Amino acid sequence: MRVLVTGCNGQVGHCLVNQLHNNVELLAVDREELDITSRDAVFTLVSEFKPDFIINAAAHTAVDKAEEEVDLSYAVNCDGPKYLAEAANNVGGTVLHISTDYVFPGNKQGVYSEEDKTGPLGVYGKSKLAGELALAGANERHIILRTAWVFGEHGNNFVKTMLRLGKDREALNIVGDQYGGPTYAGDIAQALIAIMNKASADDDSSLYGVYHFSGAPHVSWYEFAQEIFQQAETKQLLKAPTLTSITTDMYPTPAVRPENSKMNCDKIQHNFGIEPSDWQAALENIKGYMA
């Protein structure tokens, strides 16, 4: 099986490469090797490599910068996925694409299902939703995986930020009125590979579509930080700072964040047997996030 992974140096892409490299004919590229915003570059590479699957882990994820970098956000998050889907369609390939909880407005009571109405609040979410629609329109053989609050040992994320700040500060204010499911990058990679393997074996068109995959249990950023520092202190890596829960309006940012990013993961469990990410277990290697 031939697999093309884009965004191979990102949090999820890095994990995909580690988990795939011995099991498939793998071509892993980052922006230096492939500019996904160039239709010609995408079509040239895909027509030469002829992947059975493209896993698109490339994205413009700087949520606040996206408010100013509108054209870049849409180029990477919308045009890129569309070109990959079109090119894959030309060679009979399937596209697996990572999307986000930011496609929702975050004002729902309870959890978001795949059928819930979207309504992104900022440029990042709008560009990611546009990418979902463009990709789906370009290739019926697609699986879109929406996830949230991604963290891992590689790359920049909330866990690493907390540990870095915790070394130097005795007290931290953390937003406590935004809720979601922290999701371990290694679990996202594992889920994508499981989806790919089943789709390859079954060739069942009913498997295509949109899926939610995130962590459990759902928590606030404040509660997430509490768990991070508890595990770090238990392993004697640092003395936990004093945490104070604050409201979103006390920590203004250029981009509006959804208050509720809780996602229902029943569909992916039913169709693929994939359980939500156990983010607490993923934090047991807390030392690995401090490198």
Side-chain angles (χ1 to χ4, degrees), residues 103-105 108-119 129 146 212 260 262-264:
V103 301
F104 293 113
K108 180 183 178 179
Q109 297 297 314
V111 295
Y112 278 99
S113 73
E114 290 85 351
E115 290 74 34
D116 279 324
K117 185 178 180 181
T118 54
L129 178 58
R146 292 175 181 154
H212 288 176
N260 175 17
K262 300 175 186 176
M263 294 199 288
N264 184 315

Side-chain angles (χ1 to χ4, degrees), residues 152-154 159-160 163 167 228 231-238 281-291:
E153 295 91 342
H154 178 81
V159 176
K160 287 190 169 187
L163 293 171
K167 286 183 193 176
I228 292 165
Q231 294 215 27
E233 192 165 57
T234 298
K235 293 179 173 60
Q236 299 181 328
L237 299 175
L238 54 76
L283 283 177
E284 290 176 6
N285 178 36
I286 194 77
K287 190 173 184 179
Y289 300 88
M290 300 187 74

